[in-house]
Amino acid sequence: MEQKISAGMAKLALDALEEKKAEDIRIIDISSVSVLADYFIIANGTNRSQIQALADNVQEKLGRAGYICKQVEGYQTANWVLLDFGDVIVHIFDAKNRLLYDLERIWRDGKQIDPTELEA
């Protein structure tokens, strides 16, 4: 049941990112390798304004659905914005910092999932 709730949260975040034209969106199921969260969602924007708009849209969509963002990091500089919704953590990067931090490699023990799996 818990995983189903977090999958719904991840789907809402994905939709919010797609709505504002995020690039290279990846979803990693980390539930079997970490107690931090069930999902990491990683995306990037093309500039500071878009990255902030992506973060705003994710917070708005999840907030309207009743999910509370526990923590926001990096919003002002907008080179890596972290939105912590508990079971779902959204990372929005600029292209340079996404390559630098390479979360996909660091969390490679997690399972990259196709967005359609969130709808099941």
Side-chain angles (χ1 to χ4, degrees):
M1 180 70 177
E2 183 72 28
Q3 186 82 9
K4 198 167 187 76
I5 292 168
S6 58
M9 288 172 64
K11 175 69 172 117
L12 281 173
L14 172 69
D15 292 346
L17 290 167
E18 288 178 335
E19 192 173 277
K20 295 292 180 185
K21 310 283 189 253
E23 297 180 341
D24 195 17
I25 304 169
R26 301 292 167 101
I27 303 161
I28 304 173
D29 180 340
I30 61 166
S31 60
S32 63
V33 296
S34 176
V35 295
L36 282 177
D38 290 336
Y39 296 101
F40 269 6
I41 300 176
I42 305 167
N44 57 275
T46 55
N47 58 51
R48 182 175 186 256
S49 296
Q50 185 196 21
I51 291 165
Q52 289 175 334
L54 289 164
D56 291 342
N57 205 40
V58 169
Q59 288 186 82
E60 183 181 330
K61 295 267 187 214
L62 270 73
R64 271 198 254 135
Y67 301 114
I68 293 154
C69 189
K70 299 174 190 319
Q71 191 165 0
V72 178
E73 296 287 338
Y75 184 85
Q76 292 306 318
T77 57
N79 51 22
W80 176 3
V81 177
L82 180 143
L83 305 170
D84 182 353
F85 288 91
D87 292 334
V88 175
I89 299 175
V90 180
H91 301 269
I92 307 167
F93 288 94
D94 63 20
K96 179 180 144 200
N97 282 287
R98 183 163 181 177
L99 283 172
L100 177 67
Y101 291 102
D102 198 4
L103 292 186
E104 291 96 328
R105 183 187 56 78
I106 293 168
W107 289 94
R108 68 181 172 267
D109 291 342
K111 178 185 172 215
Q112 280 207 34
I113 62 169
D114 188 273
T116 57
E117 291 181 53
L118 295 175
E119 299 176 34

